[in-house]
Amino acid sequence: MKSVEEFATYYNRPVLKKPHWVWQIWLYFWLGGIGAGCAIISMLAKLFGDQKRVKPIVRAARYISLATGMASPLLLVMDLGRPERFLHMLRILKLRSPLSVGTYIMSANGLFGNLTIARQLVEDGFIPAKSLLGKAATLVPDGLGTGLQGITGFGMGTYTGVLISATAVPLWSEATEILPPLFLSSGLSNAAAALQLVLLASGLDEDTTDFKALETIETAAILTELALLGFGRWKMGALLTKPLTEGRVGKLFLGGAVGGGMVLPLLLQRVSRARWIRFIGAVATLAGGLTMRYCIVEGGKLSADDPQAYHSITRK
Amino acid sequence: MATGFFTDTSVCIGCKACEVACKQWNQLPADGYALTGESYDNTSSLGATTWRHVTFIEQMATKPQIPLLNLTADLPKANLLVEGVPVAPTLPGQDGMPRWLMMSNVCKHCTNAGCLEACPTGAIIRNEFGDVYIQPDICNGCGYCVPACPFGVVELSKDDGRAFKCTLCYDRQKDGLEPACAKACPTDSIIFGEIEELKEVAEKRVEELQSRGYTNAYLYGADESSEVGQLNAFFLLLDKPQVYGLPENPPLPQNKAKNGWLASLAASVVVGAVVAIAFSKGRK
Amino acid sequence: MGRGGATTALWDLEKADCILIMGSNMAECHPVGFRFVVNAREKGAKIIHVDPRFTRTSALANIYAPIRSGTDIVFLGGLINYALESGKYFHEYVANYTNAALLVSENYQDTEELDGLFSGFDPETRTYDSASWQYQLDEQGQPLRDDTLQHPRCVLQILRKHFARYSPEVVEQVCGTPQAIFLQTAETICANSGRERTTAFCYAVGWTQHTTGAQMIRAGAILQLLLGNVGRPGGGLMALRGHATIQGSTDVPTLYNMLPGYMKTPFETSDPPQYKLEDYLKANYAPTGWWYNLPKYMVSLLKAWYGPNATAENGFCFNYLPKVGGDYSYTPMFLNMKDGKMRGMFVMGENFAVGGMNARLEVEAMTKLDWCVVRDLFEVETAVFWKAEGVDPKTVPTEVFLMPAAVVAEKDGTYTNTQRLVQWHDKAVEPPGEARSESWFVYHLGQRLRELYSHSSLERDKPIQQLQWELPTSGPHAEPEVEHVVREISGYRVADHSQVGGFAELADDGTTACGCWIYSGVVSPDGRNLAASRQSDAPGVDSNHQNWAFSWPNNRRILYNRASADPDGQPWSEAKKLVWWDATNGKWTGQDTPDFPLTKAPETPANPDGKGLEAHSGRDPFIMQSDGLGWLFAPNGLKDGPLPTHYEALESPVENPLYKQQVNPTTKEFSRKDNRRNRALDSRYPYVATTYRLTEHHTSGGMSRWIPWLSELQPELFGEIDPELAAEKQLKNGDWATVWTERGEIELKVLVTDRMQTLKIGKRRIHQIGLPYHWGSRGLITGDVVNNMTPLLEEANVQIHEAKTFTCNLRKGRRSPSPVSPPSSSQGVVVTSGGAGQDLARVKKSEKGIS
Ligand SMILES: Nc1nc2c(c(=O)[nH]1)N[C@H]1C(S)=C(S)[C@@H](COP(=O)(O)OP(=O)(O)OC[C@H]3O[C@@H](n4cnc5c(=O)[nH]c(N)nc54)[C@H](O)[C@@H]3O)O[C@H]1N2
Ligand SMILES: Nc1nc2c(c(=O)[nH]1)N[C@H]1C(S)=C(S)[C@@H](COP(=O)(O)OP(=O)(O)OC[C@H]3O[C@@H](n4cnc5c(=O)[nH]c(N)nc54)[C@H](O)[C@@H]3O)O[C@H]1N2
Ligand code: SF4
Ligand code: SF4
Ligand code: SF4
Ligand code: SF4
Ligand code: SF4
Ligand SMILES: [Mo]
């Protein structure tokens, strides 16, 4: 027998419609983040680093962002209901729409990325310097290209956070100030990890490469992430963060993203600096970053389906 | 000047003519054939193929357990139906009386529309009638408008990939016809017209119901000062919005973006500094 | 009151101060008409809904009164009693316009004296002889009257005695309606009737589909007469009809015992057998009142059908009309069919495999036919009877012809709607493929038959040969032009085929032809088809929309509207004026066509030996009746008593608290092995089942279950039960359950809802189970056929069934494969002798201590 009070929701049905987003989106969030991290790292490395010992880092960073930069648009187009219309994204710019703004940031970042990678290909002799293409590739001064890619990299690393928080979904919209920094730091920690992975694999060592810097970056980024998550839990409370603390997604988030992807790498760093340990640590960070993106997207869907959560944030 | 709906739930008989008229006019498919057990509502919510949806809320529990109670004793003496005769405790709809609420829900065509502001392609526009319209030839199915609607109205079509919702019968309005749902409504629970005029009607209506003892009658969505602004489809409700599956205070999601961008900026500076320091340490 | 139609019009409900909706779920079944009820409510009228279930109508009402299905006569009797004893009835109206003052024969005995029977009952034939119900007459043969209304034998006093025991307490005990709510209802209705105010009643099959159905409506009519609400704006009895033109199909009838315009079909069982026109007229003609005109209407009908062949010499071919030799009505038809006494059948627009009582029996009956033609829009359940669940097609000899029918939008024609409004509709599109209209089918079938018999010289083939069966046809399919049928129905002068202006111009000498006298005038003398006119009243004007289509009779919108004026011809009140006497111009005038001789002044005295309406005074509004009065007490016309009295439904878990007589003794039960009855008070069938409709579907679902947009709205068969019963049976909302009777069992999902409530009847708590009956085996959505559980039976007056009340049992879980086999434990009674309910004594012995 239902009492009037029990009708605080309509048969407990969702008030909101959840986004349709599946693997393309969380995979893109992850890769885009890494690409952004690499762009930022290579820029600042060039500016402040020991030029000799950052050269391999910048080089690796450029190849990684080449990969992520190629994958990202593909994933996003795949995700569209009408892929053949992906260019409609560029028919206007709407500053109120993070997705619109983000699309331009991504395009710009990709464009500048092409400049730097082109130059890299010449340097590595994949494109003959004398050739017309080679000449064109080195037209834009190295610093400018790297700079622009780095600056837009900040946008790349943050806009996805703004994008999802500018929705009605309780888990996201209540975390406006948290998600962009979180995504940026995660992108950075993951980029650092990815770079270490590549550089270690190619057998480089401390003398030739500034591994220390990468480790510092990774550690600092992870600590920031943990701080942000803690702050978020405190600010938003149990009801709103339920999707990330309970159920399948919740377990994965706490165990995988936080435990495996943040706490574990930090511990490993303390344990030892043996190559293979550092190797595992990097892999853990990357896996953790991917898991976090997955959990936040899926958690958002759960949150959108929870009328109580939504009513709780829309009460007068 | 905008056109829209005033939906007066106090005269809705739950006949669903609006829901059917909409599907027929717009040639929308059925959503499937399963009994929900949720009163007489078997279509459950608005969506890509349901642009009008009638909700049913049974509130009989307040009904005295007939005939176990001695009703004569329980009559609220105050409320007189006929001179000198107290009201039997079965005045449907009135406070504390058993009631079966029915309400025809639809896209609100918000003045500040989350879906419209979210749309990166500009597919969603405000048309010449002041209504929020999705241009099907532009929409590329990015799906961003979906979580951006504070009322859970717009949805991507599974088979078509594009976003769909009430068009406020743009095609009919262009031909000077009233929307199909309003046309079909036998009790004029759905009234179509100019918002300004509708609001006058609506406010009078509330006063009248109040005076007749429906003290919980009020307008939902008629408040310009709210985040979403005036809803071009606004309602006269008889219970809390949540009861009908509506948010009490719907947000405009894009208002969150500003803080997001600021946080991004701050984060960039901090992170940048950290990275810079990390590398400068590496200098010999 | 004398006419087979609603006395009022839907729009007129808006003028009511109170509307009692009882025996109808108007909001769900007449949603468009219900707008006028809503408007009335918004103007301050009080809406009352009396129903076993809290429905979408109750949701809009001011008062909802729960009631146990089948007990309306107690509720209405209670209201009659209340009106009489509180003196709140409309005395002047009653004294002048009803038979309240007339004295009834000393031989008349009431149910109060005979414990549930009226005088004149013959237990053998289970019929009444109405001799003792007649008036006391003076030497001129005029009824004696006592205008003080005090004489113990006067109708009003008899009424008082008869209903004296129908007190609020009894209402609560029998109907389960809390006294407070009943009193509320009574007060509201009385307070809103009288000179200044009017109350309207709306009913439909929640009243009709009972073994006491006709008497329920009688009770409503009596109450409206007492309150003075008949013939007045915002008053009357709104009979909400069913199918779009179900009214039309009784006016120009599809009934075996009626000819167009409510003239009876000739019976050969009568004595003398009605083979000759004279015999027929003698039997049915009334010297006074409207039926004085019967000969004009009958002869004109025969002229319309047999044309030049109909002459005074051959009695206008009267003898070509088929004669009825017994009960040819719906129910016996199927029993005869099942017993192999019928060879073939046309099914045109009916889906009784779902909509028919004891539907399973009807389906099995069809398998006994040699041939069967089904004309429908879809291959509905009835069309596939030969492969129904449990039927082996190999064993079915029937040759079935399924023919696609044109849907309404694919043909010209008329509707006669619930307010007697004949409305023309144009064809919008050509029917697809082989689909053809009904008129096409019948017309061309007739032509071929005439062709077949053209060479015969046998006397018995004359009816076919001499039939006038020519219509102009048009279009690629030689579609008959039905507008010509409308003209024939409206009536014309044989000499020059000029249209008559109305039935007043019809003659009994063969000079006029008219297909249905009550529709006479639907085509105006200047040839306009008034059914096609579409002019509603301009704002500020009130003429009851007289230029919107045509309402029979003679375009009158509110029947008996003479009663809207006082005896002197002036409106009872300014607020409620409708038709009044204009002394200066010497005629009746107002906002409607007067339902009265136009120039007959109020003071005109009755002429005892005058013919027809001359026998009525200028005060008598009920012109159809021989005495021009509204009948509170009906000396004639009803087969089960001159007054409504409460009997339990044939199947009821409750003992009749008022009389020893448990059920209506005149009910025809057709009780046999394949039509078993749940015994009254049988503890194995403790629940009251009632069946009904949902807005989302139409009757058998023959149309709606094929339409996605409707099917998704109510996709599955369900049963509505109250939480207490659900708890008892451990049923959760949405669970599968099986419901069964002696006829069969069905499975459904339960909708557990507080809208159904447990009723306290005496010491017992009675549960009612609500069953919408729209589902079957075909279409987009399917479900069990509720009517596999209902009994075939006949109410005595109109042969209606009792789908609204029967008993059943309920258990958790799904049914066994066969929907029909009665539970093996079956001990259902097969009454071979004795009367309805006579086995009650036996039951009581065998069933001691019923819970
Ligand atoms: N949407 C829709 N409209 C229809 C139809 C349809 O199938 N669908 N069918 C049309 C047809 S053919 C007809 S005949 C009409 C029928 O119109 P209605 O008679 O209004 O419809 P029903 O649902 O059969 O029955 C009406 C109500 O009677 C109640 N009832 C049952 N037993 C009793 C009783 O003993 N006393 C009282 N007071 N009430 C009782 C039921 O609970 C139900 O709510 O509707 C017509 N209109
Ligand atoms: N238990 C229970 N049983 C009931 C009732 C109840 O209340 N309870 N109500 C009873 C009542 S009131 C009624 S009226 C009956 C209704 O019972 P039915 O009349 O048997 O049911 P319908 O679905 O109305 O059948 C009409 C059929 O005609 C078809 N049709 C529609 N238009 C046309 C046309 O132009 N030409 C032809 N040839 N076919 C056409 C439709 O497709 C449909 O199959 O049910 C009765 N049965
Ligand atoms: S209700 Fe939702 S879909 Fe409709 S206009 Fe507002 S935001 Fe857009
Ligand atoms: S799905 Fe279509 S309408 Fe919605 S935001 Fe994307 S492009 Fe705009
Ligand atoms: S306005 Fe048109 S599209 Fe919108 S709900 Fe009504 S009928 Fe459907
Ligand atoms: S809004 Fe009108 S059409 Fe829709 S369900 Fe209510 S009454 Fe029927
Ligand atoms: S279907 Fe026809 S008859 Fe029934 S409510 Fe609608 S308009 Fe009236
Ligand atoms: Mo009917």
Side-chain angles (χ1 to χ4, degrees), chain C residues 83 176 246 458 480 505 658 844:
Chain C
I246 205 84
L458 293 173
E505 298 174 25
L658 289 168
K844 289 228 211 69

Side-chain angles (χ1 to χ4, degrees), chain B residues 115 118-124 134 138-146 156 163:
Chain B
C115 65
C119 180
T121 66
I124 307 187
I134 304 179
I138 306 294
C139 170
N140 69 3
C142 74
Y144 191 42
C145 52
V146 174
L156 286 192

Side-chain angles (χ1 to χ4, degrees), chain A residues 2 7-8 10-11 13 17 20 48 53 81-82 85 88 91 94 96-97 163 168 176 188 310 314 316, chain B residues 38 41 46 56 116-119 121 136 138-141 144 147 150 152 160 242 249 255-256 271 282-283:
Chain A
K2 301 178 191 65
F7 274 99
Y10 185 67
Y11 301 104
R13 295 212 168 251
K17 291 271 183 300
H20 69 288
F48 300 95
R53 281 165 69 246
R82 287 298 178 91
R85 295 184 177 176
H88 287 201
R91 64 186 279 278
K94 289 169 76 178
R96 287 277 293 175
S97 169
L163 183 146
T176 342
L188 213 64
Y310 187 52
T314 52
K316 279 223 173 74
Chain B
E38 291 163 3
D41 178 4
L46 293 167
F56 289 80
L116 187 153
E117 295 202 351
C119 180
T121 66
I138 306 294
C139 170
N140 69 3
Y144 191 42
D160 176 285
Q242 291 89 335
N249 185 22
N255 291 352
K256 299 274 187 174
V271 167
R283 276 222 176 90

Side-chain angles (χ1 to χ4, degrees), chain B residues 7-9 11-21 52-56 102-105 180-191, chain C residues 31 56 695:
Chain B
T7 304
D8 178 355
T9 66
V11 291
C12 176
I13 59 173
C15 68
K16 305 181 191 173
C18 47
E19 206 171 317
V20 175
R52 264 275 173 196
H53 171 248
V54 185
T55 57
F56 289 80
M102 295 150 199
M103 176 259 205
S104 179
N105 200 358
C181 52
K183 181 85 182 167
C185 178
T187 60
D188 294 333
S189 173
I190 303 174
I191 312 175
Chain C
R56 281 177 265 201
T695 309

Side-chain angles (χ1 to χ4, degrees), chain B residues 10-16 19-20 23-25 27-43 49-50 56 58-61 63-69 71-72 75 80-83 85-94 98-102 184-188 205 208-209 212 214, chain C residues 27-28 31-32 34-35 38-39 41-44 46 53-66 172 176-181 183-184 187-188 191-192 692 694-696 707-718 720 724 733-734 749-760 765 780-781:
Chain B
S10 72
V11 291
C12 176
I13 59 173
C15 68
K16 305 181 191 173
E19 206 171 317
V20 175
K23 288 216 171 192
Q24 182 173 31
W25 178 260
Q27 289 296 303
L28 300 171
D31 304 350
Y33 308 112
L35 189 78
T36 63
E38 291 163 3
S39 192
Y40 278 4
D41 178 4
N42 290 302
T43 44
T49 53
T50 301
F56 289 80
E58 296 182 17
Q59 297 182 344
M60 306 293 292
K63 162 180 53 72
Q65 278 316 290
I66 293 168
L68 298 182
L69 291 181
L71 294 164
T72 347
L75 296 182
L80 292 195
L81 190 68
V82 183
E83 225 24 70
V85 186
V87 163
T90 51
L91 282 180
Q94 289 206 346
R99 45 182 202 174
W100 194 4
L101 300 175
M102 295 150 199
C185 178
T187 60
D188 294 333
R205 179 70 183 150
E208 195 213 332
L209 284 172
R212 267 162 50 186
Y214 296 78
Chain C
E28 299 195 39
V32 174
F34 193 73
R35 70 175 289 131
V38 173
N39 294 352
R41 188 189 79 161
E42 295 317 309
K43 291 181 185 170
K46 300 292 173 284
R53 308 175 302 130
F54 188 101
T55 73
R56 281 177 265 201
T57 305
S58 323
L60 273 281
N62 298 93
I63 300 178
Y64 164 66
E172 177 162 326
T177 315
Q179 280 185 56
I181 299 175
L183 287 168
Q184 186 66 43
E187 250 320 311
T188 310
N192 288 292
Y692 48 85
L694 300 166
T695 309
E696 295 84 345
I707 299 174
W709 298 321
L710 295 177
S711 297
E712 71 174 333
L713 298 177
Q714 290 292 3
E716 296 179 59
L717 169 62
F718 61 84
E720 298 183 292
E724 193 176 308
N733 194 26
K749 287 180 176 173
V750 289
L751 212 55
V752 182
T753 168
D754 299 313
R755 294 182 295 99
M756 301 293 292
Q757 41 189 266
T758 317
L759 297 175
K760 190 151 171 295
R765 298 180 63 68
L780 294 171
I781 53 169

Side-chain angles (χ1 to χ4, degrees), chain A residues 33-303:
Chain A
I34 295 176
C38 288
I40 295 169
I41 287 178
S42 50
M43 171 178 74
L44 295 173
K46 260 184 167 317
L47 277 175
F48 300 95
D50 164 355
Q51 291 313 308
K52 192 168 106 318
R53 281 165 69 246
V54 297
K55 207 164 190 345
I57 297 181
V58 172
R59 181 156 171 266
R62 286 178 172 172
Y63 279 104
I64 293 177
S65 40
L66 169 66
T68 60
M70 287 197 320
S72 301
L74 289 179
L75 290 170
L76 290 181
V77 171
M78 277 174 73
D79 166 74
L80 293 178
R82 287 298 178 91
E84 74 278 10
R85 295 184 177 176
F86 70 95
L87 278 179
H88 287 201
M89 289 287 190
L90 300 173
R91 64 186 279 278
I92 56 170
L93 166 62
K94 289 169 76 178
L95 293 175
R96 287 277 293 175
S97 169
L99 178 48
S100 180
V101 174
T103 310
Y104 286 94
I105 293 177
M106 190 186 78
S107 315
N109 180 260
L111 187 75
F112 302 136
N114 296 343
L115 295 177
T116 57
I117 192 65
R119 172 179 296 276
Q120 190 64 50
L121 291 171
V122 176
E123 285 177 11
D124 298 350
F126 291 107
I127 306 172
K130 299 279 164 296
S131 73
L132 211 126
L133 195 63
K135 289 210 182 67
T138 45
L139 260 177
V140 183
D142 187 4
L144 182 59
T146 320
L148 289 171
Q149 183 188 12
I151 306 244
T152 50
F154 285 109
M156 268 299 279
T158 49
Y159 95 87
T160 48
V162 183
L163 183 146
I164 61 171
S165 66
T167 63
V169 178
L171 178 70
W172 299 339
S173 64
E174 291 303 289
T176 342
E177 301 80 3
I178 298 163
L179 287 170
L182 180 67
F183 281 13
L184 182 62
S185 1
S186 163
L188 213 64
S189 64
N190 280 249
L195 286 165
Q196 290 177 68
L197 214 54
V198 175
L199 297 168
L200 286 171
S202 44
L204 297 166
D205 63 15
E206 214 58 52
D207 318 337
T208 56
T209 332
D210 190 346
F211 279 103
K212 190 90 195 61
L214 293 177
E215 276 167 29
T216 322
I217 294 171
E218 183 183 358
T219 318
I222 290 179
L223 288 171
T224 324
E225 290 177 63
L226 286 167
L228 288 164
L229 290 174
F231 173 65
R233 179 71 173 76
W234 169 81
K235 174 176 174 267
M236 293 164 68
L239 177 61
L240 293 184
T241 52
K242 197 162 94 211
L244 295 182
T245 55
E246 292 173 22
R248 190 182 59 85
V249 175
K251 286 195 194 71
L252 196 59
F253 184 74
L254 294 179
V258 178
M262 301 179 194
V263 181
L264 180 65
L266 290 181
L267 292 178
L268 289 177
Q269 280 183 0
R270 303 284 159 280
V271 175
S272 101
R273 303 202 65 259
R275 263 176 167 278
W276 64 278
I277 296 277
R278 290 157 68 189
F279 213 91
I280 296 173
V283 173
T285 306
L286 286 165
L290 181 60
T291 314
M292 182 175 83
R293 298 304 202 292
Y294 169 83
C295 291
I296 287 183
V297 170
E298 288 306 312
K301 293 186 189 171
L302 294 172
S303 172

Side-chain angles (χ1 to χ4, degrees), chain B residues 5 18-19 21-23 25-26 28 46 50-53 105-107 109 165-173 178-182 190 192:
Chain B
F5 295 122
C18 47
E19 206 171 317
C22 176
K23 288 216 171 192
W25 178 260
N26 297 292
L28 300 171
L46 293 167
T50 301
W51 302 351
R52 264 275 173 196
H53 171 248
N105 200 358
V106 68
C107 167
H109 295 274
K165 70 169 192 73
C166 162
T167 67
L168 222 147
C169 279
Y170 189 30
D171 49 355
R172 288 176 64 96
Q173 283 201 66
E178 97 181 279
C181 52
I190 303 174
F192 168 79

